[in-house]
Amino acid sequence: YFPGPVVHDPDGASLLRTAHRAAERGDALAASSHLSTAIAGLLRRHAASPPPGDPRPAGPRAVRAALDILHDRLVDPPSLAELARAVDARPFPLLRAFRAATGLPPHAYLNQLRVRRARALLDDGLRPADIAARIGFADQAHLSRHFKRIVGVPPGAYAQGRRRNVQDEPEPAH
């Protein structure tokens, strides 16, 4: 239980806002991951007694299965609760085990996968606007934001650089 009716927790509030923004974008995996992390933090920092230990910890098999699901459902990923049910784990233990195994929570891992796929599609000559929906981003701006954060340049600049590099390569000798 919470001993007081109000808690001051800027980090928790920030995570709740991030979860809300992700939900507004339709990113159920990010929304549920951030919400779960925020709630766990609020409970850990402000509840009168710690939550009981989880009787079903998520192991390596659950993480491998979750990774397979994320790879298969790049465009339409499950929420954290759906992912946990699919791998027979509980959401919090899965989130902890996934982060321990990959270094990232599931939604961030999914964004890494999407950006990797976007790079391959840009290398094939597709336009960023066509790629965004194909790989599960809400729109081109959503793709650009994640692409730039992960790769360091926007998708258009990446594609232009790749085209320049291909044009500068010498012809193979016959």
Side-chain angles (χ1 to χ4, degrees):
Y1 80 97
F2 289 93
V6 176
V7 296
H8 179 73
D9 191 325
D11 292 336
S14 177
L15 277 171
L16 290 171
R17 280 191 299 277
T18 302
H20 181 74
R21 280 191 221 102
E24 285 179 331
R25 287 192 318 267
D27 190 345
L29 182 60
S32 58
S33 294
H34 285 301
L35 181 62
S36 295
T37 302
I39 290 172
L42 289 170
L43 289 171
R44 194 172 38 257
R45 290 186 297 273
H46 303 288
S49 61
D54 197 317
R56 278 185 10 210
R61 188 175 17 187
V63 172
R64 280 192 303 277
L67 287 166
D68 290 342
I69 290 168
L70 294 178
H71 282 261
D72 290 343
R73 292 190 53 191
L74 189 66
V75 175
D76 182 30
S79 69
L80 181 61
E82 292 166 338
L83 186 62
R85 268 194 307 278
V87 301
D88 195 32
R90 303 225 356 234
F92 290 127
L94 177 61
L95 188 58
R96 286 189 300 271
F98 195 97
R99 185 183 297 251
T102 66
L104 298 167
H107 72 278
Y109 182 87
L110 180 68
N111 285 331
Q112 293 273 354
L113 283 178
R114 287 174 171 167
V115 168
R116 187 179 317 144
R117 181 72 180 128
R119 287 176 71 171
L121 292 172
L122 287 166
D123 291 345
D124 289 343
L126 272 71
R127 298 175 338 168
D130 298 329
I131 293 171
R134 182 181 270 197
I135 61 172
F137 284 114
D139 54 25
Q140 186 176 347
H142 191 209
L143 164 65
S144 293
R145 184 172 57 254
H146 288 288
F147 196 96
K148 185 174 181 181
R149 184 175 48 77
I150 292 168
V151 178
V153 296
Y158 172 85
Q160 286 176 342
R162 294 291 290 171
R163 283 193 295 274
R164 273 196 304 273
N165 288 341
V166 168
Q167 291 169 355
D168 293 343
E169 289 179 5
E171 291 284 326
H174 293 281

